[in-house]
Amino acid sequence: MPIDPYAALNAMLRAEVTRFSPPVRQAEPAAPPKTPAEAVESESESEPQQNATADSAA
């Protein structure tokens, strides 16, 4: 069976690209799903805090 020169060239180019390209980033594991009670708690914690120094300066 004859060797396809385009397939051989494509394989060589892919090997070179793989050799010089940076490693693939790994995705961070997904956070476990929250229960409704945990979701309510996290929403109340993420509310912005009032800055006392800004109020006293006005």
Side-chain angles (χ1 to χ4, degrees), residues 33-52:
K34 293 184 178 182
T35 61
E38 290 174 345
V40 170
E41 290 174 5
S42 66
E43 287 177 5
S44 64
E45 292 173 359
S46 65
E47 292 177 359
Q49 298 292 328
Q50 191 70 16
N51 191 350

Side-chain angles (χ1 to χ4, degrees), residues 13-41:
L13 290 174
R14 284 178 183 260
E16 289 299 307
V17 167
T18 304
R19 194 174 96 177
F20 290 109
S21 59
V24 177
R25 286 192 213 168
Q26 298 296 322
E28 294 181 9
K34 293 184 178 182
T35 61
E38 290 174 345
V40 170
E41 290 174 5

